[in-house]
Structure formats: C-alpha cells, structure tokens
Amino acid sequence: GAVVSQHPSWVICKSGTSVKIECRSLDFQATTMFWYRQFPKQSLMLMATSNEGSKATYEQGVEKDKFLINHASLTLSTLTVTSAHPEDSSFYICSAAGQGTEAFFGQGTRLTVV
Amino acid sequence: AQSVTQLGSHVSVSEGALVLLRCNYSSSVPPYLFWYVQYPNQGLQLLLKYTSAATLVKGINGFEAEFKKSETSFHLTKPSAHMSDAAEYFCAVSEGFQKLVFGTGTRLLVSP
C-alpha cells in the first residue's frame, strides 16, 4: 500500500508555544488529507479535512484558529497547534488519499504539553 | 449521518481460540466498511475493507469479516488467536471511501 509519513512521532512542548506536525505522502499525490485526534483509550475523532490548495474544512467544535491546517502541495499537509495547553495533549493522526482512492494513515504524533 | 457501534470495549481470548469482534453500523447510503488494528503509540494498520464487492472479506494476518446488510453488521473474526494479535481494533464506516467515522474500539487481550 501507499506510504504516509508523519513527523515528529512524538513531541513535548511548553504551554503557550506552538508546534507543527507534518504529514507527507511519500509515493502518491494526496489530493485530500484528514487530521484525526485520539484521546487516551478512546477512538479517533476527525478534526478537519483539507484539499490541496484549498482551506481546510473543520468539524464542529474544532477551533480553526487553534489548529491551523495547511495543504499547500500534493504531498504535504501540516497541522499547527497554536498556543498549546495541557488539554491539547493527545495523539494526532493524519491520513492521505489520492483521487478516488482509499485513505492511508500516518503513524501518528504523540503531543505532550507541559 | 453514519455511525459505528463496537460491542465490548475489551475481549479476552486464549491463544488458539476463535476471535470475534463485533461491529454494527448505521448508514443511509451503501457503506464502505473497514477494520483497522492499532498497536500502542502507533498509527492504524488496515486489516481489511468492504467496498460492495464480495460480502465475505479476507484480510491480512488471517482475519476476515462478513458484511451482513440485514443485520447491519461487519464482525471481525479469526479462527485461531496468536499472542501477537493483542492490540486495539477499530471498525470504521465511510460514505465516500476516504473520510472515516470510527467506532470506540475494542481491545483484544490474548492469554497463553
């Protein structure tokens, strides 16, 4: 299957700082990327959908000014958690899909805000 | 709106025993259905998917699932559990094959 690389795999940041997570499709062009959030021992919740070159579509209840998503190329999307707080600590997972294909998942990023 | 219900947050089996993880879905359109496995602090690995072809879907690692429209179910089975099967399993439904709605997950515990 196609490969989606997410970086970093884990990050610790101080409260009030911002952190950027990258999601790359290594061997295909990802027209659409999805960002999910997973709290400990819980399921994955979709945060937003991004199409290359367009603004991301956020799910209800997700603060777009806090979780900035950029999908500037067909192989890269970034999620920036701005002014992070301890409650933002979570596991973030991206998935990427080509035109008409299924979505492939990255390996996830464990964010800890201290 | 689509939704998925996974019955049982934990399932315990002995090594060599049958694995049965339950998933029921709700969808107003013909669904795509998926089973994923997640190991601690890792991403999701696709086990199998149903895309309106054969109702019995075979996946990796000996897993299979059967789509039953009349029961709105897509239960995951494996004839003989291995210790390495211990993980979290997620059932997911999709309308458009890409944007997924996940169930709450089932943790599979395998004892020697």
Side-chain angles (χ1 to χ4, degrees), chain A residues 33-49:
Chain A
M33 287 189 172
F34 304 88
W35 287 94
Y36 296 83
R37 181 175 182 176
Q38 185 180 30
F39 290 102
K41 301 186 187 301
Q42 294 188 31
S43 188
L44 289 82
M45 301 299 294
L46 181 66
M47 298 174 66
T49 303

Side-chain angles (χ1 to χ4, degrees), chain A residues 32 34 36 38 42-44 46 49 59 91 93 97-98 100-103 105-108 110, chain B residues 34 36 38 41-46 49 88 90 96-105 107:
Chain A
T32 307
F34 304 88
Y36 296 83
Q38 185 180 30
Q42 294 188 31
S43 188
L44 289 82
L46 181 66
T49 303
E59 296 297 305
F91 194 60
I93 306 178
T101 70
E102 69 182 82
F105 284 83
Q107 64 268 50
R110 169 76 57 196
Chain B
F34 305 80
Y36 287 88
Q38 184 181 36
N41 289 312
Q42 293 189 29
L44 301 179
Q45 181 180 12
L46 179 66
K49 61 181 183 282
E88 188 85 21
F90 291 96
F97 200 48
Q98 298 184 345
K99 179 178 173 180
L100 303 181
V101 175
F102 286 88
T104 49
R107 181 166 297 278

